[in-house]
Amino acid sequence: MLLLTEDDVRRVLTMDMALETVEAALRKLALDEAVNIPRTRCRTDHCGLHVLSAAAKTLGYLGYKAYVDSRRGVQFHVALYDGRSGGLLALMQADYLGQVRTGAASGIATEYMSRHDSSEVGIFGSGKQARTQLQAVCAVRKILRAQVYSPNEENRRRFAMEMSEVCKTDVVPVPRPEMAAEDKDIVITATTSREPVLNGHWLAEGTHINAVGSNYLGKAEIDAVAVRRADSIVVDSKEQARIEAGDFVQPLEDGSIHWADIHELGQVIVGRYTGRAHDADVTLFKSLGIGIEDVAVAAKVYEKAVGAGLGKKIEW
């Protein structure tokens, strides 16, 4: 078995690799060539365990990502198994892997759902997930400027300085939340907020939204107006969205949207549904983060790490 640290993962995992791998995994899911199990959770008084598992025969692997949250923070790992023998191939730390795969899913949604001439981005949040979100969007669209809002002035200033260099584009901190939404081609919400940070009235026609921060029914990053305005609503897993997409709770309850109106990103990739019908449409990708994305990316990391001689081998 191979043990891979966060440093090992960072040495081989790139956004381009993740974009290609996650798109292929979602395609397999849409074609019934993969199995994805929605996140399960259990808790004690002190911490919670969250597990996402998946398998794909044509990928040659199966596995799971697990993470534990406590007052000390969150710890992530992926266990990867051989798809034929069932042998445990690798355990890898997966904090960075999760950030990149989540960004990649939004990048793929942006490629299929945003206008091709999209060049202005607004982003809510300045943490780790926000960084890979912007990185992925810049990988699939020619972004000329991004404006970032978060409540902490120093955090948004630091984010803008760092990401301007990473993305080779103009990233600007803004002091008011509406400035990260008005007249934007793409809007990203990547926060830990339990209440909506994005007001749907701020959105221009033709905007594409990537909403990634909420994965509990009791949390919503975007308000009901933003959801109602969406002409196309796409998720990574409809089954998981039913138990985690807090952004949909109010519009579902008031009947302004229905589950029949919501499609999966894999189905858009294989051409069964369209991500955008008209330039003026508002489109929404609600990301939950699913196991097949983790397992597929972990498999690619494992193969690259073996080729590069990384990690520590132990007898199992």
Side-chain angles (χ1 to χ4, degrees):
M1 181 185 69
L2 194 64
L3 289 176
L4 296 170
T5 66
E6 289 287 349
D7 286 342
D8 294 327
V9 174
R10 284 178 179 271
R11 287 179 64 179
V12 298
L13 179 56
T14 67
M15 182 56 72
D16 285 344
M17 179 198 305
L19 285 163
E20 180 181 355
T21 303
V22 171
E23 181 172 1
L26 294 173
R27 184 183 297 275
K28 290 178 187 296
L29 197 61
L31 297 175
D32 294 326
E33 295 176 1
V35 177
N36 183 80
I37 306 300
R39 186 180 352 243
T40 59
R41 308 179 193 264
C42 59
R43 300 199 66 88
T44 69
D45 292 342
H46 303 287
C47 60
L49 172 64
H50 316 255
V51 181
L52 306 94
S53 56
K57 180 180 178 180
T58 54
L59 190 64
Y61 300 95
L62 66 164
Y64 64 86
K65 183 175 80 174
Y67 59 100
V68 177
D69 67 90
S70 69
R71 292 179 181 177
R72 296 184 178 182
V74 188
Q75 302 173 61
F76 301 82
H77 76 271
V78 169
L80 191 67
Y81 298 84
D82 185 283
R84 286 184 174 272
S85 70
L88 179 58
L89 299 174
L91 283 175
M92 65 184 74
Q93 292 181 316
D95 187 6
Y96 183 66
L97 184 151
Q99 296 166 40
V100 175
R101 73 85 152 116
T102 306
S106 292
I108 295 157
T110 301
E111 186 171 8
Y112 281 88
M113 300 179 69
S114 71
R115 299 193 327 272
H116 292 289
D117 63 352
S118 296
S119 62
E120 295 265 343
V121 174
I123 183 162
F124 292 77
S126 57
K128 295 183 292 187
Q129 291 286 358
R131 282 166 164 76
T132 52
Q133 289 292 312
L134 183 57
Q135 189 180 353
V137 167
C138 288
V140 301
R141 288 288 182 262
K142 186 174 178 56
I143 302 303
L144 301 180
R145 187 173 71 153
Q147 292 184 308
V148 57
Y149 172 79
S150 70
N152 185 292
E153 181 180 359
E154 176 59 24
N155 287 348
R156 64 182 184 250
R157 185 197 63 79
R158 186 183 303 113
F159 177 94
M161 182 176 64
E162 293 176 2
M163 295 309 295
S164 292
E165 178 63 26
V166 170
C167 296
K168 307 301 180 187
T169 194
D170 187 20
V171 183
V172 180
V174 293
R176 300 192 309 276
E178 63 269 24
M179 296 176 69
E182 293 172 342
D183 300 318
K184 298 299 183 293
D185 303 311
I186 299 165
V187 172
I188 302 163
T189 58
T191 76
T192 58
S193 178
R194 302 191 68 87
E195 302 296 329
V197 296
L198 175 63
N199 183 325
H201 293 294
W202 298 337
L203 297 168
E205 287 190 350
T207 299
H208 171 66
I209 308 163
N210 291 321
V212 306
S214 167
N215 57 18
Y216 285 91
L217 289 180
K219 294 174 67 176
E221 274 190 313
I222 64 177
D223 68 3
V225 175
V227 179
R228 293 188 195 110
R229 288 195 61 190
D231 299 281
S232 176
I233 303 175
V234 171
V235 296
D236 37 14
S237 164
K238 200 165 176 177
E239 185 179 7
Q240 192 162 314
R242 288 179 182 273
I243 56 176
E244 292 188 352
D247 306 271
F248 296 163
V249 170
Q250 184 179 337
L252 282 167
E253 287 180 349
D254 65 27
S256 54
I257 67 167
H258 303 87
W259 282 111
D261 305 321
I262 300 169
H263 305 299
E264 293 189 345
L265 183 53
Q267 302 287 339
V268 174
I269 291 170
V270 300
R272 291 179 184 158
Y273 298 101
T274 181
R276 170 176 293 273
H278 308 286
D279 281 351
D281 287 351
V282 172
T283 58
L284 167 61
F285 172 58
K286 174 55 196 164
S287 170
L288 285 312
I290 60 176
I292 192 63
E293 298 165 355
D294 292 301
V295 171
V297 173
K300 186 63 69 173
V301 167
Y302 168 73
E303 291 169 357
K304 293 285 187 180
V306 169
L310 298 175
K312 179 180 179 181
K313 294 180 182 179
I314 65 170
E315 294 295 326
W316 185 257

